[in-house]
Amino acid sequence: MENSELITKALNYIKTESHKNDITIDDVAAHAGFSTDYFNRIFFAHTGFNIMQYVRFSRLKKAAKLLRVTSNNILDIALECGYEAHESFLRAFKNQYGMLPSEYRRKYENSEVYYGDFYNDTIASRLLHEFEGFKIADSDEVIDFLIEKDALRYGYIAVCFRINGGVALYNGESFKEGFVWFTEWNNRFEGEIVCDDWDKIAEYIRIFSAQRFEMILYTLKSDEQIKKELSNCEITISKINRRSINVYTDEPFTLVPKENIHMRLIEYNDMALVEKFYHKISPNKESFSPRLKQLKHQLYQRDITGSTDSSVFTFGIFKGDHLVGISDGGLQNVHGFLINNCVVTSVLPEYETEELYQYAFKFVTNAALEKGALPIDDIQVPTTPIVNKSGNFNSAELGYQTVTYACMMK
């Protein structure tokens, strides 16, 4: 375990410092506190890369992401990723991706960018090295299995697996008996257990019980039932934090038009209004700048390049020509299964009313139903009413039903 934690430390150092063209094996090894020769061996054993291979891999992966999410010219991207010579960058990029940067940009210019496309790249090697006897399940097979098994209960989870990347590990004959989907977030491993067999659930918790793992179980059982079942397997759980995953399967809401208020999809040409709105909501530009940049890129893909592979599902609340609120959803597709993920509404203080929050929530739900998407609400429980910038209501009050809980266990 100690070596694994040092590998994590080294990987984060590389991701942070790989843009420096003078980074060396000695730098990485020294940062992790090991001699160069020894550390290179354990780094390879855990990740399948030697250190400098991973430095190059990390640089080029960053370049690939910049090619997809910015319009920066290729030379600037090369310099930003630690390449001083344009030719060496072109050669290295083609060796890794099988095409030149310009070809890569054209190929993916209309494609959605997911977290899993650029992160969680060593998690499978590292876990298999540390936990012998486990097998890797094919991600597409797992996602198909979840949707076919129970789309209401597992559809949202399946979409998250596609977007976030990671790896499904299992022991036994088949992943269908139960598996753990692992992702890594800022030095933190998260294991999400999908299983109905309490003996196997207990086995997974026992194996992955180290401090660096946060274990989440998907179930509809109560805290008391979970603790009792695991206690019978000699596992003690002291605390459970849970999220309710709710879905809407009823008919569209009947909405009474609100005086002087209308809602519609935000378009690329609305970005000036959107920027002005966020400036009014928060004077701290850093708090909303990343979201604005992402939204502008997504709207450009959808409205200017005509991409159909876009999850952006953002609605403006207008009073006349003035943008007074924004409702964010997210149309996310996995293997033909479509969801609208978690409506979040922000409104200028002078227009804030509980009635408007609920109207916006219902409006986006209706829009999702028109698209053939399953509306999802992912909320913290047992806080009732839910108090946040989306209003003081629980979506169950509007006809959403709880289909499963994500229970984080300690």
Coordinates of all heavy atoms in Angstrom, one line a residue, residues 221-227 230 237-242 381-382 406-410:
K221 N -32.2 -0.2 0.4 CA -32.3 -0.5 1.8 C -32.0 0.7 2.7 O -31.2 1.6 2.3 CB -31.5 -1.7 2.2 CG -31.9 -3.0 1.6 CD -31.2 -4.2 2.1 CE -31.7 -5.5 1.5 NZ -33.1 -5.8 1.9
S222 N -32.6 0.7 3.9 CA -32.4 1.8 4.9 C -31.0 1.6 5.6 O -30.4 0.6 5.5 CB -33.5 1.7 6.0 OG -33.3 0.5 6.8
D223 N -30.6 2.7 6.3 CA -29.3 2.6 7.0 C -29.3 1.4 8.0 O -28.3 0.7 8.1 CB -29.1 3.9 7.8 CG -28.8 5.1 6.9 OD1 -28.9 4.9 5.7 OD2 -28.5 6.1 7.4
E224 N -30.4 1.2 8.7 CA -30.5 0.2 9.7 C -30.4 -1.2 9.0 O -29.7 -2.1 9.5 CB -31.8 0.2 10.4 CG -32.0 1.5 11.3 CD -32.2 2.8 10.6 OE1 -32.6 2.7 9.4 OE2 -31.9 3.8 11.1
Q225 N -31.0 -1.4 7.9 CA -30.9 -2.7 7.2 C -29.5 -2.9 6.7 O -29.0 -4.1 6.7 CB -31.9 -2.7 6.0 CG -33.4 -2.8 6.4 CD -34.3 -2.6 5.2 OE1 -34.2 -1.6 4.5 NE2 -35.2 -3.5 5.1
I226 N -28.9 -1.9 6.1 CA -27.5 -2.0 5.6 C -26.6 -2.5 6.8 O -25.8 -3.4 6.6 CB -27.0 -0.7 5.0 CG1 -27.8 -0.4 3.7 CG2 -25.5 -0.8 4.7 CD1 -27.5 1.0 3.2
K227 N -26.7 -1.7 7.9 CA -25.8 -2.1 9.0 C -26.1 -3.5 9.5 O -25.1 -4.2 9.9 CB -26.0 -1.0 10.1 CG -25.5 0.4 9.8 CD -25.8 1.4 10.9 CE -25.2 2.7 10.5 NZ -25.5 3.8 11.6
L230 N -24.6 -6.2 7.0 CA -23.2 -6.2 7.1 C -22.7 -6.7 8.4 O -21.6 -7.4 8.5 CB -22.6 -4.9 6.7 CG -22.8 -4.5 5.2 CD1 -22.3 -3.0 5.0 CD2 -22.1 -5.4 4.3
I237 N -20.3 -0.9 10.2 CA -20.4 0.4 9.6 C -20.8 1.4 10.6 O -21.9 1.3 11.2 CB -21.4 0.3 8.4 CG1 -21.0 -0.7 7.3 CG2 -21.6 1.7 7.8 CD1 -19.7 -0.4 6.6
S238 N -20.0 2.5 10.7 CA -20.4 3.5 11.7 C -21.2 4.7 11.2 O -21.9 5.3 11.9 CB -19.1 4.0 12.4 OG -18.2 4.6 11.4
K239 N -21.1 4.9 9.9 CA -21.7 6.1 9.3 C -22.1 5.8 7.9 O -21.3 5.2 7.1 CB -20.8 7.3 9.5 CG -21.5 8.6 9.0 CD -20.5 9.8 9.2 CE -21.1 11.1 8.8 NZ -20.2 12.2 9.0
I240 N -23.2 6.3 7.5 CA -23.7 6.2 6.1 C -24.2 7.6 5.6 O -25.1 8.1 6.2 CB -24.8 5.2 5.9 CG1 -24.3 3.8 6.3 CG2 -25.3 5.1 4.5 CD1 -25.4 2.7 6.3
N241 N -23.5 8.1 4.6 CA -24.1 9.3 3.9 C -24.7 8.9 2.6 O -24.1 8.1 1.8 CB -22.9 10.3 3.6 CG -22.3 10.8 4.9 OD1 -22.9 11.1 5.8 ND2 -21.0 11.0 4.8
R242 N -25.9 9.3 2.4 CA -26.6 8.8 1.2 C -27.2 9.9 0.3 O -27.5 11.0 0.8 CB -27.7 7.9 1.6 CG -28.8 8.4 2.6 CD -29.9 7.4 2.8 NE -29.5 6.1 3.2 CZ -30.1 5.0 3.0 NH1 -31.3 5.0 2.3 NH2 -29.7 3.8 3.4
V381 N -30.1 13.3 1.0 CA -31.2 13.0 1.9 C -30.5 12.7 3.3 O -29.3 12.3 3.3 CB -32.1 11.8 1.5 CG1 -32.9 12.2 0.3 CG2 -31.2 10.6 1.2
P382 N -31.2 12.8 4.4 CA -32.6 13.0 4.6 C -33.0 14.5 4.8 O -33.9 14.8 5.5 CB -32.9 12.2 5.8 CG -31.7 12.3 6.6 CD -30.5 12.4 5.6
A406 N -27.5 6.0 -3.3 CA -26.0 5.9 -3.3 C -25.5 6.1 -1.9 O -25.6 7.2 -1.4 CB -25.4 6.9 -4.3
C407 N -25.1 5.0 -1.2 CA -24.8 5.1 0.2 C -23.3 5.0 0.4 O -22.7 3.9 0.1 CB -25.4 3.9 0.9 SG -27.3 3.9 0.8
M408 N -22.7 6.1 0.8 CA -21.3 6.1 1.1 C -21.0 5.6 2.6 O -21.6 6.2 3.5 CB -20.7 7.5 0.9 CG -19.2 7.6 1.2 SD -18.5 9.2 0.8 CE -18.7 9.3 -0.9
M409 N -20.3 4.6 2.7 CA -20.1 3.9 4.0 C -18.8 4.1 4.6 O -17.8 4.1 3.9 CB -20.4 2.4 3.8 CG -21.8 2.1 3.2 SD -22.0 0.3 2.9 CE -20.7 0.1 1.6
K410 N -18.8 4.3 5.9 CA -17.5 4.5 6.7 C -17.6 3.6 7.9 O -18.6 3.3 8.4 CB -17.3 5.9 7.1 CG -17.2 6.9 6.0 CD -16.9 8.3 6.5 CE -16.8 9.3 5.3 NZ -16.5 10.7 5.8

